Amino acid sequence: MAAPIDYLRDGDAIYERSFAIIRAEADLTRFTEAEADVAVRMIHACGLVEAARDFVFGPGFIAAARAALKTGAPILCDAQMVAHGVTRARLPAGNRVLCTLSEPDVPALATRLGTTRSAAALELWRDHLAGAVVAIGNAPTALFHLLEMLDAGAPRPAAILGMPVGFVGAAESKDALAQDPRGVPYAIVRGRLGGSAITAAAVNALARAGL
Amino acid sequence: MAAPIDYLRDGDAIYERSFAIIRAEADLTRFTEAEADVAVRMIHACGLVEAARDFVFGPGFIAAARAALKTGAPILCDAQMVAHGVTRARLPAGNRVLCTLSEPDVPALATRLGTTRSAAALELWRDHLAGAVVAIGNAPTALFHLLEMLDAGAPRPAAILGMPVGFVGAAESKDALAQDPRGVPYAIVRGRLGGSAITAAAVNALARAGL
């Protein structure tokens, strides 16, 4: 039998040390204190301090997202991984976490609309959009589709986390949001980086800060 | 109303173009063809071609993981996000996807063992470990705990994906696996990078290749 392995086993101590390393290494000077708090947790989720360069928090984003979460806004997610990354126990008002991607109507809707299932699934958000916190962490087409819905007059969410990941459309969809946020406070991760873990971490940080 | 947005809406075409970009930009020369196929999908999940530098596929890993999945091995995940990233429809044998982190016994077990809940949750894997595919994509303590269980004589899984992310213990736990894999074929992402999306993408690639 091998000797016991020596490693830190205390969850709180691991978090503390992790956040200290991130704050020592990451350049967070562009951010307000509240933005930096969210940024640290986003970096923690992806393991890459350099990612902070690509974080953009639009004007009023933190306050708008916090306020919405506090008053019970639902969290609309484009992917099950995002939804399952949101820590329910941390949500300030038992907020509903909704992902419509697996709804039975979605494949037919995608065919009819000539788009991906990830984008078509957003059509089922319409009744929940007003005042919601939107968390897009996977599909660029979902973020593009959200912008099209807003252009066509859909109800305004309270805040948009636009953080899809990838090589085709990810950078472009996030630029499109930042260049014209349609009156909605937003946060993005510029370029190819993003993903469900970063997005869920941002939601969790906003929820924690709101307590 | 704004003009319609111009973007690629065809899911298959988006995948194809994404994989072509990754193959053009990433250095995959270290890998066998089968390893490169998995690596491409892992890169796709994190949006970072440079991550390939840190991918290590141990001897026999691809064959062992594929064979296990084909014959119905369960997939044991350390986090719900990993479990929910595994595409059920792609699994070759209706394989069970198991995450024990939310089991009611886990918090008390963690206290008793003096470790994190992520690590303690692995104690509930014991009846499923023999021949399983282990997918650790979140917690370094889970990977360390797995190694300790193997050192203490726990049944051998068929393959280990050791891909936790983070700043404390992540690099060390993956090095510990690679330096002494306890007779189990393994794959790791060296250093801080890793995460639930990369890990689930690797499982999905292995499942697809196995068909």
Side-chain angles (χ1 to χ4, degrees):
Chain A
M1 189 180 300
I5 309 176
D6 179 30
Y7 62 97
L8 194 57
R9 295 157 200 256
D10 177 317
D12 290 339
I14 293 170
Y15 270 108
E16 243 177 65
R17 193 177 295 182
S18 298
F19 294 153
I21 292 171
I22 294 167
R23 286 189 181 272
E25 291 188 21
D27 180 1
L28 305 172
T29 49
R30 285 191 299 120
F31 304 128
T32 66
E33 193 178 328
E35 289 168 352
D37 188 64
V38 176
V40 165
R41 286 167 174 81
M42 292 167 66
I43 292 169
H44 183 246
C46 70
L48 194 69
V49 293
E50 296 81 5
R53 283 195 297 245
D54 296 321
F55 298 170
V56 180
F57 300 98
F61 168 77
I62 300 276
R66 276 188 188 175
L69 290 173
K70 266 192 192 170
T71 54
I75 301 164
L76 310 183
C77 308
D78 70 324
Q80 297 292 354
M81 285 186 80
V82 178
H84 284 275
V86 173
T87 307
R88 301 302 194 278
R90 189 171 295 161
L91 296 175
N95 311 242
R96 188 168 172 200
V97 181
L98 188 71
C99 175
T100 52
L101 185 56
S102 309
E103 293 295 316
D105 295 350
V106 169
L109 204 53
T111 304
R112 187 159 63 75
L113 297 173
T115 191
T116 64
R117 286 184 295 123
S118 291
L122 271 63
E123 292 292 325
L124 307 181
W125 287 5
R126 288 188 184 274
D127 293 347
H128 311 279
L129 256 183
V133 172
V134 169
I136 295 180
N138 185 55
T141 52
L143 182 51
F144 275 130
H145 195 76
L146 175 68
L147 297 180
E148 292 174 326
M149 286 170 65
L150 295 177
D151 287 342
R156 258 51 189 166
I160 300 172
L161 289 82
M163 305 181 178
V165 61
F167 296 85
V168 174
E172 296 83 351
S173 64
K174 293 177 283 192
D175 284 349
L177 170 61
Q179 279 162 26
D180 178 2
R182 280 77 171 169
V184 184
Y186 71 93
I188 62 167
V189 180
R190 274 190 310 237
R192 292 171 172 179
L193 294 181
S196 47
I198 291 179
T199 308
V203 171
N204 291 335
L206 291 162
R208 174 196 290 265
L211 285 175
Chain B
M1 188 182 297
I5 310 176
D6 180 30
Y7 63 96
L8 195 57
R9 294 157 202 257
D10 177 317
D12 291 338
I14 294 170
Y15 271 108
E16 244 177 65
R17 194 178 294 182
S18 299
F19 294 153
I21 293 170
I22 294 167
R23 285 188 181 273
E25 292 187 20
D27 180 1
L28 306 172
T29 49
R30 284 192 299 119
F31 304 129
T32 67
E33 194 178 329
E35 289 169 352
D37 188 64
V38 176
V40 165
R41 287 168 173 81
M42 292 166 65
I43 293 168
H44 184 246
C46 68
L48 194 69
V49 293
E50 295 80 6
R53 282 195 297 245
D54 296 321
F55 298 170
V56 180
F57 299 99
F61 168 77
I62 301 276
R66 276 189 188 175
L69 290 173
K70 266 193 192 169
T71 54
I75 302 163
L76 311 184
C77 308
D78 70 324
Q80 296 291 353
M81 286 187 79
V82 178
H84 284 274
V86 174
T87 307
R88 301 303 194 276
R90 189 171 295 161
L91 296 176
N95 310 243
R96 187 169 174 199
V97 181
L98 188 71
C99 174
T100 53
L101 184 56
S102 309
E103 293 296 317
D105 295 350
V106 169
L109 204 53
T111 303
R112 187 160 62 77
L113 297 173
T115 190
T116 64
R117 286 185 294 122
S118 292
L122 270 64
E123 292 292 325
L124 306 182
W125 287 6
R126 287 188 184 274
D127 292 346
H128 311 279
L129 256 183
V133 172
V134 168
I136 295 180
N138 186 55
T141 52
L143 181 51
F144 275 129
H145 195 76
L146 175 68
L147 297 180
E148 291 172 327
M149 286 169 65
L150 295 176
D151 286 342
R156 258 50 189 165
I160 301 172
L161 290 80
M163 305 180 178
V165 61
F167 296 84
V168 174
E172 295 83 351
S173 64
K174 294 178 284 193
D175 285 347
L177 170 61
Q179 279 163 24
D180 178 2
R182 279 78 173 168
V184 184
Y186 70 93
I188 62 167
V189 179
R190 274 190 309 238
R192 293 171 170 179
L193 293 182
S196 48
I198 291 180
T199 308
V203 172
N204 291 335
L206 291 162
R208 174 195 288 266
L211 286 175

